[in-house]
Amino acid sequence: MAAPQLNFLTLACADVERMGEFRRRLGWVESRKSEPAHRLFQGTNGIVVALYGAQNYEQHFGRRTEGFRGFTLGLNVASPDEVDRIYSTLHGVEDAELLAEPFASPPGFPGLRFRDPGGDIGDRAWKGRTSAPPDG
């Protein structure tokens, strides 16, 4: 049996509209099926990233925590130059907290880290000679 493919990711947000605006400023394409209570963004590899109010989960899981939540949202980008381009873009995006200058990771590939308005940490990296197939 093949492992299931991750194709839908929901971020529990304190402020859905603020997070939606942040994603739009970074160039994410919002789905026409998006609505104010549930924003949807389609990734180029097919994954759907949904933004949904954290209050809808509190009864079952408790309140959102502050600080590191045990995961990062990582993207493997096309080139080292794209890491630098994204870093420059983030400088001009309100609510983006840059956590460090672009860096070379211990394996030697360039990357960057930032925190979005909801407190989630984003990793962007280029790892040479690797790629994801078109179907993810």
Side-chain angles (χ1 to χ4, degrees):
M1 173 194 242
Q5 179 178 323
L6 180 63
N7 57 12
F8 196 92
L9 173 70
T10 300
L11 299 177
C13 304
D15 186 337
V16 172
E17 189 54 39
R18 182 176 177 204
M19 287 293 291
E21 181 58 29
F22 180 78
R23 294 276 183 282
R24 288 187 288 274
R25 286 192 309 256
L26 290 177
W28 287 59
V29 177
E30 189 167 0
S31 168
R32 291 177 301 167
K33 295 180 180 182
S34 216
E35 54 190 54
H38 192 238
R39 297 290 182 187
L40 301 170
F41 293 86
Q42 183 75 53
T44 57
N45 66 347
I47 192 168
V48 174
V49 176
L51 309 176
Y52 194 53
Q55 73 278 5
N56 296 301
Y57 296 103
E58 288 178 0
Q59 179 182 353
H60 302 286
F61 306 115
R63 297 186 60 90
R64 283 173 39 105
T65 61
E66 296 299 319
F68 183 60
R69 297 184 182 115
F71 69 92
T72 66
L73 302 173
L75 296 175
N76 189 16
V77 298
S79 71
D81 290 340
E82 191 168 353
V83 171
D84 293 335
R85 184 189 60 75
I86 293 168
Y87 182 76
S88 294
T89 299
L90 286 167
H91 267 287
V93 174
E94 185 179 343
D95 294 331
E97 178 188 352
L98 293 163
L99 299 176
E101 298 282 323
F103 58 87
S105 68
F109 56 89
L112 65 94
R113 290 192 179 109
F114 68 93
R115 189 181 318 272
D116 68 23
D120 296 315
I121 296 173
D123 274 327
R124 302 300 180 262
W126 173 79
K127 185 175 181 191
R129 298 180 304 280
T130 65
S131 64
D135 61 355

